[in-house]
Amino acid sequence: MKRIVTIQDISCVGKCSLTVALPIISATGVEAAIIPTAVLSTHTMFKNFTCKDLDDQILPIAKHWKDEGITFDAFYTGYLASAQQIGKVISLINDLKQDENLVIVDPAMADNGKLYPAFDEEFPHEMAKLCAQADIILPNITEACYMTDTPYRADYDETFAKEVVEKLAAQGAKKVVLTGAAFDGKYGVLLYDSETKKYFTYFQEKIDAAFHGTGDIFSSAFTGLLVSGKSIEESIKIAADYTAECIRITKNTPNANWYGVDFERVIPYLIDRIG
Ligand code: PXL
């Protein structure tokens, strides 16, 4: 059985990060080991959230695993609690990673042109260092702009998207998967492979609703699917369709935006698509 370690926070309420990564990766038939980077009462879109940073646990956990000879097929990181924590995650990966292991980074830190409340302008530069070491990164356009010091544009075209994606690849990431790519009236995912210099796009019908945590749902499904043996293109398609289904069934639920989508009800669809 394949095993991923996913490194991100636990938001106790507000479905995102580890509370979605665990069930979704499990549904793809892959083991999800975890490192919780922080425990928050809710994700940071709620007011007055509490946060206990678990920074001091990261390297001791890594050391124990190394001593025990525990290995992983992939390292998958999401929301990290501080710039200092990013350095520790880089050390952990360098320490435990074997040549054939995948490093997948979702630089979960910003959306709609803005950083999440816990982060300052320096944070994206640290995150860019982690992304530079990754096999695959999963930014949205806001995160891509922050990490490349490109002024954010709410409206952009395909040329702009490709420019930003290629800047990220030039910083070191082998493959860039731009999520929520919206240009020329289309909406979906844009993949750039810096080794083949080829693009792959998967567009979908844009659903007129926004929910918190859908980026984490896409990234978790994508990572599980890829590690389970699907191609990168197939993993993008199934993860994007799964995320869209989650949004579709939650669309009319009042006040769901912050609480997250009903991804649980669509797990049978995900398993069906895996075949
Ligand atoms: O979904 C990304 C995410 C994860 N974890 C925490 C967050 C957010 C987005 O705001 O606040 C704590």
Side-chain angles (χ1 to χ4, degrees):
M1 193 165 164
K2 302 274 186 176
R3 183 195 281 144
I4 291 169
V5 57
T6 179
I7 307 170
Q8 41 187 327
D9 72 282
I10 297 179
S11 290
C12 298
V13 166
K15 294 179 253 183
C16 67
S17 42
L18 282 183
T19 61
V20 308
L22 272 167
I24 292 173
I25 293 169
S26 301
T28 65
V30 172
E31 178 184 345
I34 60 168
I35 297 190
T37 54
V39 179
L40 294 91
S41 51
T42 62
H43 60 63
T44 61
M45 296 295 136
F46 285 84
K47 283 203 186 81
N48 304 325
F49 59 88
T50 68
C51 179
K52 170 72 178 169
D53 197 318
L54 300 175
D55 208 46
D56 62 355
Q57 295 301 302
I58 295 174
L59 295 179
I61 290 173
K63 180 178 180 313
H64 181 215
W65 287 349
K66 194 163 188 187
D67 293 346
E68 292 288 326
I70 296 169
T71 57
F72 301 97
D73 297 287
F75 296 81
Y76 157 43
T77 73
Y79 184 102
L80 300 176
S82 66
Q84 157 181 308
Q85 198 163 79
I86 297 172
K88 292 195 175 155
V89 170
I90 294 173
S91 302
L92 174 138
I93 293 171
N94 287 336
D95 213 26
L96 294 178
K97 181 181 156 6
Q98 296 170 333
D99 282 351
E100 68 284 8
N101 301 161
L102 278 177
V103 177
I104 301 170
V105 176
D106 179 348
M109 63 181 167
D111 207 0
N112 300 315
K114 279 199 207 130
L115 286 168
Y116 294 151
F119 304 134
D120 62 17
E121 300 284 322
E122 202 27 53
F123 189 85
H125 297 126
E126 284 303 306
M127 188 58 91
K129 293 181 193 163
L130 176 58
C131 286
Q133 301 201 3
D135 295 294
I136 303 172
I137 62 173
L138 304 156
N140 58 36
I141 193 76
T142 304
E143 291 156 348
C145 286
Y146 267 110
M147 289 193 288
T148 55
D149 291 317
T150 308
Y152 169 77
R153 289 195 209 160
D155 293 312
Y156 56 93
D157 58 10
E158 184 171 351
T159 309
F160 178 79
K162 288 185 167 175
E163 243 171 59
V164 181
V165 158
E166 287 178 37
K167 278 193 214 168
L168 278 170
Q171 292 176 4
K174 292 196 189 77
K175 294 186 174 83
V176 181
V177 176
L178 183 70
T179 60
F183 51 76
D184 308 334
K186 292 181 267 188
Y187 182 83
V189 181
L190 174 85
L191 160 69
Y192 177 65
D193 182 330
S194 69
E195 282 161 346
T196 61
K197 310 248 181 296
K198 287 204 172 119
Y199 278 97
F200 165 82
T201 49
Y202 184 62
F203 294 116
Q204 297 168 292
E205 187 193 332
K206 171 113 173 84
I207 310 166
D208 187 24
F211 292 95
H212 212 76
T214 49
D216 298 350
I217 285 172
F218 174 82
S219 297
S220 299
F222 168 82
T223 301
L225 290 161
L226 187 73
V227 172
S228 78
K230 300 276 183 215
S231 69
I232 189 162
E233 293 83 2
E234 198 62 13
S235 302
I236 287 173
K237 284 188 200 169
I238 301 175
D241 290 347
Y242 172 61
T243 310
E245 272 311 297
C246 292
I247 297 171
R248 214 167 274 128
I249 63 140
T250 316
K251 195 173 176 248
N252 297 322
T253 307
N255 303 320
N257 304 55
W258 285 12
Y259 289 89
V261 287
D262 294 345
F263 75 90
E264 301 90 337
R265 288 169 54 204
V266 197
I267 282 180
Y269 168 87
L270 176 62
I271 292 171
D272 255 17
R273 286 290 301 272
I274 293 170

